[in-house]
């Protein structure tokens, strides 16, 4: 069948002859525009300046997102004592987008902003506001001159000029260090360095530094989804029949991302993955979130650059490959060649969860044997057959049957590839009320990921934690501290090997720290200020020694839970183990300090004798203490 396309001024349309019938479809300009946000080799559209020109040329409504720090910057500029502003962060955090929004709010024109100059100025509230759209794009001599001028304005209480500067972390420091050394520039450089590492600076400092990379992407992903999926230009798709009797995969994916049928389950699971990543210190710039949502909707391995356009749909319908547009595999960039996926930072972060490769035995039993096992039929119908688009497709059911009938190696390999995709789909579609029973998080390398998120939410809400959580973590710590399969969880068993050897076991007891509050001792989980948690150990009621704190990232949390359960996969590096041994060293220093203060600085020996305490395990694996007196 041949497809012809006839271009029109307002919209593009095409007529497709199929069995003597004429099927009309129109191409949506917004879909073409959205494609440029995806993981294509030339994704220039991700830069604010190019976006604005494209929107004007194509007459498309912009994708609008909340502008981080805009209101705070405007409040500062309108205050009685305004100060200059530096916006920093990583590439794609929206620094230029924010500068543009502030510029327009201060009376600057759209036309002037879209001009070629990287430095803009506008008169605002009796002062000149100088906006540097991207410090890294300026020549060395230009940036040096502007930074020198900025440094001098900071040193002048009633300076007539204020600055708004956008710069990535590394470029900001490089440009500052390359600026000619004067008293003002040296002072500004020290100021910026202190602010970047979070040190406090004097309140009279006439500079604000705002780090846009600190904004939680877990909150922003919902706004990106809403802005893209509810964009007004989707109305151009109304009446389109490009998919014939089926549903257009672009619209199918858009509806799935919108959460129309599952109550935002896909969004919530995406948010969970992003939250766990961020708690592990991984950052998702807004640019990557835009790329992710564009890829979710448009991804298909059979199209150019792995992304669909409207004109691809009739051909995909003929080939019967709509199922390959699965939004669930698009999360991980599997619509792209493997080499391409590995090079894209966004997909490396998401593929770190191992979703598709990791298996839940309960889920796999349903996916593989559910069609033939009467005991699993209902679950199979609910999890697979209820999704005829991306679940119980003819391709999957045929490959499944071949696999169960003992097909050749090629057929088995093909089924295992499809099984991987089904695991990915199940992770994003399994209802919450069945997640625990079917071990949802076993489909990831973070099998305790769901528990981590639950505990973090409870701590943030100042609610009571499940009773089993803290004992599990303490038992894991005890096993690491002692090198023994200890079961004790009511006390934190702090032990050493008694030497500087590389011994894997530590039989010499230093201190048994009570987990429940007792004589000033306590071990507890507390919330941190970024939505995570900290394990806090107190040895006494006073502040010397104070609380010893261990930030619990999802990786450390998972490590402790698995050690507590008695199994540790090789996928974990030694980094976690070394972090926990460093925490042990801090505890040992604190206990020595606490004993020194309690003894008023006297030696720990009594009448020439030293009592050593050795750890022994009873029949239940509980720690018992055997004391040995050494005469000196």
């Amino acid at each position: 069948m041949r497809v012809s396309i006839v271009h029109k001024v307002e919209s593009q349309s095409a007529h497709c002859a199929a069995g003597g019938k004429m099927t009309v479809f129109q191409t949506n300009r917004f879909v073409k525009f959205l494609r440029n946000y995806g993981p294509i080799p030339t994704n220039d559209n991700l830069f604010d300046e190019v976006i604005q020109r494209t929107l004007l040329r194509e007459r498309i409504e912009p994708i609008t997102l909340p502008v981080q720090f805009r209101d705070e910057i405007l409040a500062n500029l309108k205050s009685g004592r305004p100060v200059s502003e530096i916006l920093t962060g990583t590439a794609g955090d929206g620094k230029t987008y924010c500068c543009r929004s502030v510029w327009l709010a201060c009376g600057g024109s759209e036309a002037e902003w879209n001009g070629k100059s990287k430095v803009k100025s506008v008169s605002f509230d009796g002062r000149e506001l100088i906006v540097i759209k991207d410090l890294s794009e300026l020549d060395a001599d230009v940036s040096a001159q502007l930074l020198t001028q900025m440094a001098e304005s900071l040193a002048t209480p009633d300076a007539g000029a204020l600055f708004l500067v956008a710069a990535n972390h590394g470029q900001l420091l490089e440009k500052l260090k390359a600026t000619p050394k004067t008293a003002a520039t040296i002072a500004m450089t020290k100021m910026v360095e202190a602010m970047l590492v979070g040190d406090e600076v004097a309140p009279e400092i006439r500079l604000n530094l705002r780090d846009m990379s600190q904004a939680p992407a877990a909150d922003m992903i919902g706004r990106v989804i809403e802005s893209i999926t509810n964009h007004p230009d989707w109305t151009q798709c109304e009446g389109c029949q490009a998919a014939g009797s089926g549903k257009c995969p672009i619209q199918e994916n858009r509806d799935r991302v919108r959460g129309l049928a599952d109550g935002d389950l896909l969004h919530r699971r995406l948010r969970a993955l992003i939250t766990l990543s961020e708690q592990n210190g991984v950052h998702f710039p807004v640019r990557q979130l835009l790329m992710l949502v564009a890829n979710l909707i448009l991804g298909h391995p059979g199209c150019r650059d792995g992304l669909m356009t409207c004109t691809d749909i009739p051909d995909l319908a003929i080939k019967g490959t709509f199922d390959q547009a699965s939004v669930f595999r698009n999360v991980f960039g599997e619509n792209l060649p493997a080499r391409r996926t590995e090079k894209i930072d966004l997909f490396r972060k998401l593929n770190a969860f191992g979703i598709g490769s990791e298996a839940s035995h309960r889920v796999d039993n349903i996916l593989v044997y559910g069609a033939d096992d009467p005991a699993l039929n209902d679950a199979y119908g609910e999890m697979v057959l209820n999704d005829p688009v991306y679940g119980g497709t003819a391709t999957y059911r045929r490959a499944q049957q071949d696999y169960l009938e003992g097909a050749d190696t090629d057929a088995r390999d093909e089924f295992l590839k499809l099984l991987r995709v089904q695991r990915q789909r199940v992770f994003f579609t399994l209802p919450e009320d069945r997640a625990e029973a079917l071990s949802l998080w076993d489909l990831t390398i973070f099998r305790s990921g769901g528990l981590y998120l639950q505990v973090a939410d409870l701590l943030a809400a100042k609610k009571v934690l499940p009773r089993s959580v803290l004992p599990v973590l303490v038992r894991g710590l005890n096993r690491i501290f002692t090198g023994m399969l200890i079961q004790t969880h009511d006390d934190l068993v702090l032990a050493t090997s008694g030497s500087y050897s590389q011994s894997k076991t530590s039989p010499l007891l230093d201190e048994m720290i009570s987990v429940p509050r007792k004589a000033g001792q306590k071990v507890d989980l507390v919330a941190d200020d970024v939505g995570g948690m900290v394990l806090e150990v107190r040895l006494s009621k006073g502040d010397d020694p104070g609380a010893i704190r261990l930030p619990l990232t999802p990786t450390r949390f998972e490590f402790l839970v698995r050690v507590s359960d008695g199994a540790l996969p090789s996928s974990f590096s030694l980094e976690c183990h070394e972090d926990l041994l460093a925490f042990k060293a801090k505890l040992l220093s604190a206990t020595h300090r606490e004993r020194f203060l309690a003894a008023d600085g006297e030696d720990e020996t009594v009448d020439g004798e030293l009592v050593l305490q050795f750890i022994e395990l009873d029949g239940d694996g509980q720690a018992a203490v055997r004391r040995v007196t050494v005469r000196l």
Side-chain angles (χ1 to χ4, degrees):
M1 183 172 69
R2 187 176 178 182
V3 178
S4 62
I5 299 177
V6 180
H7 293 277
K8 293 187 177 180
V9 176
E10 290 298 324
S11 65
Q12 298 172 332
S13 65
H15 296 76
C16 174
K21 295 183 66 176
M22 299 295 287
T23 301
V24 179
F25 74 93
Q26 55 262 19
T27 61
N28 187 332
R29 293 190 306 272
F30 178 69
V31 170
K32 180 182 177 182
F33 174 70
L34 181 61
R35 188 179 182 278
N36 290 293
Y37 278 97
I40 62 177
T42 55
N43 55 354
D44 288 340
N45 246 11
L46 294 178
F47 295 96
D48 184 73
E49 299 88 340
V50 184
I51 288 173
Q52 301 308 316
R53 290 197 294 270
T54 306
L55 292 172
L56 289 172
R57 184 176 65 249
E58 299 292 339
R59 288 176 294 172
I60 297 172
E61 290 290 324
I63 295 172
T64 55
L65 295 171
V67 185
Q68 187 188 0
F69 295 137
R70 174 186 181 274
D71 293 342
E72 293 89 335
I73 293 172
L74 288 175
N76 162 49
L77 296 177
K78 294 175 182 178
S79 68
R81 299 185 62 187
V83 301
S84 292
E85 299 267 1
I86 294 178
L87 287 175
T88 189
T90 59
D93 276 324
K95 299 181 293 297
T96 305
Y97 185 64
C98 179
C99 287
R100 174 177 169 274
S101 181
V102 172
W103 162 268
L104 295 174
C106 291
S109 72
E110 187 88 50
E112 187 176 351
W113 180 264
N114 291 332
K116 293 183 178 180
S117 174
K118 299 296 180 183
V119 182
K120 312 289 183 183
S121 67
V122 63
S123 179
F124 179 74
D125 232 12
R127 288 183 172 88
E128 181 186 19
L129 176 64
I130 300 172
V131 182
I132 302 176
K133 297 167 67 173
D134 189 344
L135 188 64
S136 64
E137 293 189 10
L138 299 180
D139 293 337
D141 55 342
V142 176
S143 62
Q145 180 184 350
L146 287 168
L147 289 174
T148 300
Q149 183 183 349
M150 180 178 176
E152 291 171 353
S153 75
L154 297 186
T156 306
D158 295 317
L162 294 172
F163 285 77
L164 173 59
V165 180
N168 292 348
H169 291 132
Q171 287 288 343
L172 176 60
L173 291 175
E174 278 186 27
K175 293 286 188 179
L176 284 171
K177 290 176 181 178
T179 302
K181 299 296 183 287
T182 66
T185 59
I186 291 172
M188 184 172 74
T189 301
K190 289 182 178 178
M191 252 188 274
V192 171
E193 288 176 338
M195 290 175 169
L196 282 173
V197 297
D199 291 346
E200 292 188 6
V201 295
E204 64 271 13
I205 295 298
R206 302 188 65 253
L207 177 67
N208 289 331
L209 187 144
R210 306 181 192 272
D211 190 347
M212 301 191 77
S213 66
Q214 300 303 311
D219 293 339
M220 182 59 75
I221 183 63
R223 294 166 180 171
V224 172
I225 287 174
E226 181 180 359
S227 183
I228 290 178
T229 59
N230 292 329
H231 192 278
D233 283 331
W234 284 111
T235 56
Q236 295 178 35
C237 293
E238 291 177 1
C240 178
Q241 302 171 19
S245 59
K247 184 176 181 180
C248 171
I250 295 176
Q251 286 296 335
E252 178 71 37
N253 287 350
R254 177 196 171 208
D255 289 346
R256 301 237 181 180
V257 175
R258 291 171 76 190
L260 297 182
D262 63 7
D264 279 336
L265 191 55
L266 172 61
H267 169 209
R268 283 183 276 129
R269 296 276 159 80
L270 271 177
R271 179 186 171 90
L273 295 181
I274 292 173
T275 298
L276 290 172
S277 295
E278 290 190 306
Q279 290 300 327
N280 270 329
V282 175
H283 175 54
F284 290 82
V286 175
R287 186 178 297 175
Q288 291 186 356
L289 300 181
L290 288 163
M291 178 187 290
L292 174 59
V293 177
N295 198 64
L296 290 178
I297 296 173
L298 302 180
H300 191 295
C303 300
R304 184 169 64 89
D305 295 326
L307 296 169
M308 295 180 285
T309 62
C310 296
T311 55
D312 292 318
I313 305 305
D315 189 47
L316 298 178
I318 295 168
K319 294 177 179 177
T321 59
F322 281 177
D323 61 314
Q324 293 181 27
S326 172
V327 66
F328 310 110
R329 68 200 298 265
N330 292 346
V331 173
F332 307 101
E334 296 197 1
N335 54 304
L336 306 173
R339 286 186 180 181
R340 173 82 176 131
T341 302
E342 291 169 2
K343 292 179 181 178
I344 298 175
D345 186 46
L346 165 67
F347 298 125
R348 285 201 303 271
K349 295 170 184 176
L350 292 170
N351 279 308
F353 286 91
I355 299 175
S357 301
E358 296 292 317
S360 162
H361 295 305
R362 296 173 184 176
V363 169
D364 274 13
N365 282 341
I366 296 170
L367 293 177
V368 178
Y369 306 110
D372 295 336
D373 188 337
L376 301 174
N377 274 165
D378 290 344
Y380 182 76
E382 180 184 343
M383 286 175 53
V384 180
L385 299 182
N386 275 355
D387 185 354
V389 179
Y390 297 138
T393 64
T395 302
Y396 178 74
R397 286 185 280 118
R398 184 167 55 250
Q400 177 189 36
Q401 193 63 37
D402 290 344
Y403 175 80
L404 294 174
E405 291 176 355
D408 59 31
T409 302
D410 290 344
R412 287 199 302 272
D413 290 344
E414 181 61 26
F415 173 71
L416 293 178
K417 289 179 184 178
L418 295 174
L419 181 61
R420 171 187 174 85
V421 176
Q422 291 301 319
R423 289 171 181 157
Q424 293 167 342
R425 184 184 62 81
V426 169
F427 177 80
F428 289 104
T429 60
L430 189 66
E432 295 288 0
D433 58 1
R434 302 201 62 192
E436 184 175 354
L438 293 177
S439 305
L440 172 71
W441 285 92
D442 281 5
L443 292 169
T444 78
I445 64 169
F446 291 100
R447 297 183 178 179
S448 300
L451 179 61
Y452 181 93
L453 294 170
Q454 178 191 3
V455 171
D457 288 344
L458 291 172
L459 288 173
K462 298 181 179 180
K463 294 183 179 179
V464 178
L465 301 182
R467 291 185 177 182
S468 61
V469 174
L470 191 56
V472 166
L473 298 176
V474 171
R475 183 165 59 243
L477 280 171
N478 285 341
R479 291 184 171 188
I480 293 166
F481 288 176
T482 64
M484 307 175 189
L485 285 175
I486 192 170
Q487 294 292 341
T488 300
H489 56 73
D490 291 329
D491 295 289
L492 188 60
V493 182
L494 193 57
T496 73
S497 62
S499 70
Y500 293 103
S501 70
Q502 298 298 313
S503 173
K504 294 183 179 180
T505 59
S506 300
L508 188 60
L509 179 67
D510 182 88
E511 186 76 52
M512 295 275 275
I513 303 169
S514 176
V515 173
R517 186 183 297 276
K518 180 180 178 182
Q521 293 185 343
K522 187 181 182 183
V523 179
D524 203 3
L525 280 175
V526 297
D528 63 17
D529 55 359
V530 290
M533 66 189 77
V534 173
L535 186 76
E536 186 176 86
V537 179
R538 289 194 171 273
L539 301 176
S540 61
K541 295 179 180 179
D543 294 330
D544 189 9
I548 303 91
R549 297 161 67 89
L550 173 70
L552 276 184
T553 63
T555 300
R556 289 176 180 172
F557 188 93
E558 182 74 23
F559 186 90
L560 288 174
V561 171
R562 294 210 189 188
V563 169
S564 179
D565 291 342
L568 185 65
S570 58
S571 58
F572 278 90
S573 68
L574 291 175
E575 185 178 353
C576 275
H577 190 251
E578 291 169 354
D579 289 346
L580 295 173
L581 291 182
F583 178 59
K584 172 183 168 180
K586 290 182 180 180
L587 288 172
L588 288 170
S589 296
T591 57
H592 293 170
R593 173 68 179 170
E594 196 269 338
R595 285 195 294 270
F596 176 82
L597 294 173
D600 288 330
E602 295 182 5
D603 195 282
E604 293 185 22
T605 60
V606 179
D607 297 330
E609 294 181 345
L610 179 65
V611 177
L612 300 178
Q613 301 181 93
F614 288 89
I615 301 169
E616 294 182 344
L617 303 184
D618 62 19
D620 296 325
Q622 298 293 322
V625 179
R626 178 170 61 88
R627 290 176 172 79
V628 175
T629 302
V630 179
R631 191 177 299 279
L632 303 176

